[in-house]
Amino acid sequence: MPFARSPVPFDHAPLPPRARWLRSAGLIASSAGLVAAALPAPAPLGIGDPLFPHLGNPGYDVLAYTLDVAYPGVNTKPLSAVTRIDALVTDDLERINLDFTHGEVSAVTVDGRPAAYASSGEDLVITPAAPVEAGEPVRITVTHTSDPSGPADTGGWVRTGDGLAMANQADAAHRVFPSNDHPADKAYFTFRITVPDGLTAVANGLPAGRVRHGSTTTWTYRTRHPMATELAQISIGRSTVVHRAGPHGLPLRDVVPTADRELLEPWLRRTPAHMEWMERQVGPYPFETYGVLVADATTGFELETQTLSLFERRLFADRALPEWYVDSIMVHELAHQWFGNSVSPRSWSDLWLNEGHASWYEALYADETAGRSLERRMRAAYAASDGWRAAGGPPAAPEPPRRTTRSASSGPSSTTAAPSSSTRSARRSAPTPSSAWSAPGSPGTATGTPPPPTSSPWPAAPPDATSPASSGAGCTARRPRPCPATRTGAATRPGTRGAPRNAGDGPGGCRKTRVTGPRGPCHHRPVGDAAGVRESSGARARCHRHTPVSPQT
């Protein structure tokens, strides 16, 4: 069970140790101002991640998040929200830094007592009434807005045709809610989502209640397993939740636009068989539920959010895409539930491990069920690997993405500091058959890398198949390599000691889009079919993007 402690009011005994000390010293009323005056100006921190040095924060371990959000009924207006964080303090702290931007903060409390706060870069810097000591539990409550507006490629909220979904990978969860936004600090989550009549809200985990009040309904969900912030998912829209049973009675639930229920059913009913196949490869599914979330949005990628993978509607609606291609992408995102979600990277430079495993099973599934040669794909990948390494660095030590600066939004009673190295803007360039590709897990740039092989890594299409106009495409999938003992979780395959994370989802095992931009380990890999899509990983990103482009039928 996650730690949860009710705040102790001033007029009740016993008080926490630091509050007792404050009372005896007679400093309760003035302590916040005195402490703030004695400390240097607020500054963004970080845990020194090789790719995102300002992501995450030192000094505490988050045990649980509780997110209360209220959707106004329009996906262009800010949501009102309250985020509660229960954490264990690991170092003596006079200030507590949270990752947060793109929202306005109106109040902060620490253990129920008002705390001073300011914005610096993309950090919310909190000064509690008294320092917190190592070993103490602490509860931080932030009242704020969560703004879904802004460029679509910056991550966080995704505006759909009828509401919202989330795509936080790699560094965008803090554009939605205050957090310790790094996969090294996983925690339990509770979501309470209030929406107007006619809309359905779904989140990670299992339902834990639904309460109607007036013209709105609050939907509650809880996870049974710790989760990285980048894997959080909230879906709001005119949706239907489709239930079915998976292996061993596992509850499956898919979330789809109500208007597309019949269109999508042929794809949704494939999930139990996909899960059975994956369990034969790596063992029991690690979570309490699973499902497919289909969003009516153009994202350019699919994303393995924990227990509820995000997919673009067009992936299933485009009749030009062959079944094996869509199947393999579904398996790729499912594989990430083991590799990337249950077992997560301690550092974003370990991302290639997530993507390596998911790409491996994606390709293996296509080989076993559709005859898409794994050997041919691997040979093409190795032929192109030197170019990928030259452009973006080795998979386990990729070059940091280029960063451009942007100012962080600030709220009332906050100050905006000069943008830190963690700030960025992202741009996406359209994939073309001749564009450059990056190896999975190597955050290179979108241009300048060697072109893919001229031959497809997949077997030639059958005589009656229609070949795409351009056919060259190398696949970046590599054989999973032993991984250092730097992750937590379970689910490893014999012969490997770690798990790869999201690289992309593409045809048969090699998919994804390109994203370029500053801050993101993107592990995009090229669509390894005759589709000739390249993937770049430079951008901030949801590093599991996939752009289907004319795969062989």
Side-chain angles (χ1 to χ4, degrees):
M1 291 290 291
F3 169 81
R5 181 184 68 175
S6 299
V8 181
F10 288 138
D11 55 351
H12 285 67
L15 293 172
R18 63 177 181 279
R20 257 198 314 271
W21 177 82
L22 283 173
R23 172 173 281 179
S24 64
L27 296 176
I28 294 176
S30 60
S31 60
L34 292 175
V35 170
L39 293 175
L45 299 178
I47 60 173
D49 186 275
L51 299 184
F52 300 130
H54 285 80
L55 205 60
N57 297 284
Y60 60 91
D61 175 23
V62 177
L63 305 176
Y65 292 95
T66 301
L67 275 60
D68 283 274
V69 299
Y71 178 63
V74 180
N75 65 7
T76 55
K77 294 183 178 180
L79 290 75
S80 57
V82 177
T83 297
R84 189 180 74 204
I85 300 172
D86 289 305
L88 181 66
V89 181
T90 57
D91 293 307
D92 294 346
L93 297 175
E94 293 181 314
R95 281 182 172 149
I96 302 169
N97 279 48
L98 300 176
D99 298 304
F100 184 59
T101 188
H102 211 60
E104 294 189 351
V105 176
S106 56
V108 176
T109 64
V110 176
D111 287 333
R113 299 174 180 84
Y117 60 92
S119 291
S120 180
E122 294 190 357
D123 276 22
L124 175 64
V125 185
I126 299 168
T127 306
V132 293
E133 298 178 357
E136 288 187 357
V138 64
R139 173 171 289 178
I140 305 161
T141 303
V142 182
T143 303
H144 61 97
T145 62
S146 185
D147 192 348
S149 66
D153 60 1
T154 54
W157 289 115
V158 173
R159 294 190 297 277
T160 66
D162 58 1
L164 293 170
M166 280 174 24
N168 296 327
Q169 193 183 65
D171 60 339
H174 66 283
R175 291 177 62 84
V176 177
F177 59 97
S179 60
N180 198 24
D181 193 10
H182 194 279
D185 192 3
K186 298 165 73 169
Y188 293 89
F189 276 73
T190 297
F191 301 89
R192 297 191 186 99
I193 311 148
T194 301
V195 298
D197 286 348
L199 299 179
T200 298
V202 183
N204 311 86
L206 293 171
R210 182 171 61 181
V211 178
R212 182 178 175 81
H213 23 79
S215 60
T216 64
T217 299
T218 299
W219 307 67
T220 301
Y221 295 85
R222 290 192 178 93
T223 66
R224 290 186 180 176
H225 301 269
M227 180 171 72
T229 51
E230 54 109 357
L231 300 173
Q233 182 60 265
I234 293 176
S235 167
I236 299 171
R238 299 187 183 281
S239 307
T240 294
V241 181
V242 182
H243 297 274
R244 71 189 81 234
H248 324 295
L250 180 77
L252 303 181
R253 48 85 175 88
D254 300 310
V255 183
V256 302
T258 299
D260 294 325
R261 170 71 180 82
E262 296 302 322
L263 170 70
L264 296 171
E265 176 57 25
W267 296 108
L268 304 178
R269 64 189 180 209
R270 295 171 185 241
T271 298
H274 293 162
M275 298 196 74
E276 290 173 357
W277 185 88
M278 276 300 303
E279 287 194 337
R280 289 197 297 272
Q281 314 305 313
V282 297
Y285 177 72
F287 297 120
E288 63 271 25
T289 185
Y290 184 66
V292 168
L293 166 60
V294 180
D296 184 11
T298 301
T299 59
F301 59 88
E302 327 303 331
L303 177 58
E304 68 280 13
T305 42
Q306 191 162 308
T307 74
L308 188 62
S309 293
L310 174 67
F311 291 84
E312 286 183 293
R313 177 187 182 277
R314 66 175 179 170
L315 177 68
F316 304 106
D318 187 348
R319 296 179 182 274
L321 299 178
E323 291 186 11
W324 70 265
Y325 172 84
V326 178
D327 262 340
S328 65
I329 294 172
M330 294 177 73
V331 169
H332 178 103
E333 301 305 335
L334 174 59
H336 273 309
Q337 302 300 316
W338 282 266
F339 303 112
N341 296 8
S342 178
V343 179
S344 302
R346 189 176 297 279
S347 164
W348 275 115
S349 59
D350 294 329
L351 180 63
W352 71 279
L353 290 164
N354 301 10
E355 293 309 330
H357 280 81
S359 298
W360 173 262
Y361 293 113
E362 174 187 351
L364 184 62
Y365 185 86
D367 181 276
E368 291 187 2
T369 64
R372 318 308 293 188
S373 173
L374 179 60
E375 179 180 353
R376 185 172 179 180
R377 170 175 170 169
M378 296 303 294
R379 287 183 180 278
Y382 280 114
S385 63
D386 287 347
W388 292 329
R389 286 170 178 266
E399 297 174 3
R402 295 172 315 194
R403 291 174 174 80
T404 57
T405 59
R406 66 171 174 77
S407 60
S409 60
S410 60
S413 305
S414 67
T415 59
T416 301
S420 69
S421 62
S422 68
T423 60
R424 73 289 178 195
S425 64
R427 63 180 174 81
R428 296 168 59 183
S429 55
T432 60
S434 61
S435 58
W437 300 13
S438 297
S442 67
T445 59
T447 60
T449 50
T454 55
S455 60
S456 169
W458 296 101
D464 60 343
T466 300
S467 299
S470 69
S471 71
C475 178
T476 63
R478 298 175 191 272
R479 193 183 313 277
R481 295 163 58 183
C483 95
T486 56
R487 11 187 70 53
T488 59
T492 57
R493 175 151 182 161
T496 64
R497 296 186 345 178
R501 194 192 201 331
N502 357 18
D505 314 287
C510 204
R511 47 61 186 156
K512 271 288 157 270
T513 100
R514 60 335 142 178
V515 167
T516 77
R519 208 177 146 167
C522 277
H523 26 337
H524 312 296
R525 47 178 197 215
V527 171
D529 217 31
V533 176
R534 76 122 163 117
E535 255 205 302
S536 104
S537 46
R540 68 170 278 117
R542 277 147 296 331
C543 293
H544 22 328
R545 324 191 152 207
H546 133 40
T547 297
V549 185
S550 314
Q552 287 178 336
T553 53

